[in-house]
């Protein structure tokens, strides 16, 4: 009797018939030729963070008394029972106290912070070694002051096209060779703003994110090499480059604290100013590591800040259509707010060579050039009631006073400004008012104080060239037509930061600006609208590079950031 069942015998017979059929068709080795294909690698892979620290629960997990209680001995004596009950009651009280303390800490974490913050507080998640590394990095850029540099308004203005074309071609040759040389997830959330420190020997870039976090990235710092299981050290193309540190500059750590603007102190670059949607402006001293609140409002979102080269004053734009002037040498109660628009002003820019000229960009579809010398003559009314703390200069002298109330900026309302503009003397206050088809996201002066670039939701970038003699006259500018207009997709949507064309602040090179592109690249244009370069790398970039900035001292450097907090350094490949 055969050991195989009837089913097995039938299966073997079927296999034999199939083999005979394949042999007749000459397909005996066909199965050997068919091999499983490996899935191809994706064209680009996001850079992965080195370490992911698990988040600890904010409060201990609550359990019912029945689950927490230990098994009870049925033969327990009355004395043991009393002792056990006392211990349980004591433990219950301790747990309740811990729960209340944790709840208070959580509530405290959601409150705005108006007091001075040291580096240890700003970097609570860093280890002592990482904090020491950060202090060491900051000390290297404090050896030499780097004041903000400007150029004359006649710089790079040529008598003939040949000289200008030569400068443009030289810039194309220089910037056209930039490649992705370093990547890292510098901030936890979406990048909103960026600034490049002017130290020429370092690539130290500051990024502000959606939740009030300031990421400091030393993009070319050496990275510790990690060996694999066999002890070999092999470069990982997807590994993070450089070193970065995250500082919680604004509080609470939610979308209510998005950092809208970052500016270095134009006097020496030894401190950095940040404005945020928590309605405050902070100054972080890179020397002492102390972050001080220099200005705050009572619920008015701050959208942009700028400082003239001398660094003693600041102009602040807000979401209610106001622009505030503050002397940094005086108490902030002396700040003066001008209601210049009925809609949000998204950016304010100070002319670097003529600091009394401002350009503002608004949701009213206009950008305007203001002569602030006339605005300063207007009288204002003083408001009080915003809860806050005093400025550093007045803190020592006001310890005995009630610090719970600060003086809001002196207000110059729109009616007062309209009356000024209606007079013959005030007609030169608004030197120019230029319109876009939709909201104007941003408008900035170039380092010469001569050209303005504006970005708008009407999908255009516009350039205005303002002759110096126009600004010297006490009269509105004679033309309202842009010098150049560039078509550019600015429909970033909800999840990508708004595109804003940013000038390179390097005065030693032909004026040019950078702007993100929806196809995951970066465009660079000259001050006359020439397309200088398009930076892209589809093998390494997977997202829109929405926020851009350039090195103030080195031409061949551009930094970008995207909606996930990942940042890129563009530089020559042989760096």
């Amino acid at each position: 009797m055969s050991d195989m069942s009837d089913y097995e015998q039938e299966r073997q017979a079927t296999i034999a018939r199939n083999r005979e059929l394949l042999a007749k068709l000459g397909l005996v080795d066909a199965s050997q030729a068919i091999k499983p294909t490996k899935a191809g690698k994706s064209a680009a892979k996001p850079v992965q963070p080195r370490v992911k620290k698990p988040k600890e629960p904010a409060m201990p997990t609550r359990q019912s008394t029945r689950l927490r209680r230990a098994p009870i001995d049925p033969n327990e004596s009355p004395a043991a029972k009393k002792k056990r009950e006392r211990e349980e009651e004591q433990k219950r009280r301790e747990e309740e106290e811990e729960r209340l303390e944790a709840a208070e800490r959580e509530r405290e974490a959601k409150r705005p912070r108006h007091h001075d913050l040291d580096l240890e507080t700003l970097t609570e998640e860093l280890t002592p070694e990482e904090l020491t590394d950060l202090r060491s990095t900051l000390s290297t850029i404090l050896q030499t002051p780097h004041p903000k540099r400007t150029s004359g308004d006649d710089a790079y203005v040529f008598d003939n096209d040949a000289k200008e074309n030569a400068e443009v071609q030289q810039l194309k040759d220089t910037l056209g060779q930039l490649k992705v040389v370093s990547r890292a997830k510098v901030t936890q959330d979406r990048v909103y703003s960026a600034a490049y420190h002017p130290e020429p020997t370092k690539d130290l870039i500051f990024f502000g994110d959606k939740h009030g976090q300031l990421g400091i990235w030393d993009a070319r710092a050496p990275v510790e090499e990690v060996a694999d299981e066999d002890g070999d050290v092999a470069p990982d193309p997807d590994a993070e480059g450089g070193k970065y540190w995250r500082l919680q500059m604004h509080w609470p750590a939610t979308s209510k604290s998005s950092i809208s603007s970052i500016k270095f102190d134009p006097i020496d670059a030894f401190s950095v100013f940040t404005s945020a949607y928590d309605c405050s402006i902070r100054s972080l001293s890179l020397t002492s590591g102390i972050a001080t609140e220099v200005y705050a409002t009572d619920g008015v979102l701050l959208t942009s800040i700028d400082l003239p080269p001398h660094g003693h004053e600041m102009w602040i734009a807000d979401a209610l259509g106001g622009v505030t002037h503050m002397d940094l040498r005086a108490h902030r109660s002396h700040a003066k707010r001008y209601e210049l628009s009925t809609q949000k002003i998204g950016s304010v820019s100070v002319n670097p060579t003529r600091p009394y000229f401002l350009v503002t960009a608004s949701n009213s579809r206009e950008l305007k050039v203001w002569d602030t010398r006339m605005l300063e003559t207007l009288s204002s009314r003083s408001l009080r009631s915003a809860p806050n703390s005093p400025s550093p200069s007045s803190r020592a002298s006001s310890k005995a006073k009630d610090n719970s109330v600060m003086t809001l900026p002196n207000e110059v309302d729109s009616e007062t400004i309209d009356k000024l503009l209606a007079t013959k003397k005030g007609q030169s206050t608004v030197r120019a008012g230029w319109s876009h088809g939709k909201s104007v996201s941003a408008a900035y002066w170039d380092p010469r104080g001569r050209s303005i670039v504006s970005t708008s939701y009407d999908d255009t970038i516009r350039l205005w060239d303002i002759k110096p003699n126009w600004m010297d006259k006490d009269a509105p500018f004679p033309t309202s037509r842009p010098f150049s207009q560039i078509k550019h997709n600015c429909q970033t949507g909800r999840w990508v930061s708004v595109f804003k064309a940013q000038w390179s602040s390097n005065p030693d090179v032909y004026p040019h600006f950078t702007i993100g592109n929806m196809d995951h690249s970066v465009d660079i244009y000259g001050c006359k609208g020439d397309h200088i370069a398009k930076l892209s790398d589809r093998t390494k970039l997977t997202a829109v590079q929405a926020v851009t900035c350039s090195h103030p001292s080195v031409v061949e450097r551009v930094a970008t950031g995207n909606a996930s907090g990942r940042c890129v350094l563009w530089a020559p490949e042989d760096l």
Side-chain angles (χ1 to χ4, degrees), residues 378-394:
L378 298 176
S379 60
S380 58
R381 57 191 179 91
S382 178
L383 303 174
R384 295 180 65 88
S385 77
N388 219 322
S389 62
S391 69
S393 60
S394 64

Side-chain angles (χ1 to χ4, degrees), residues 86 295 435:
R86 284 197 302 271
Y295 181 74
S435 298

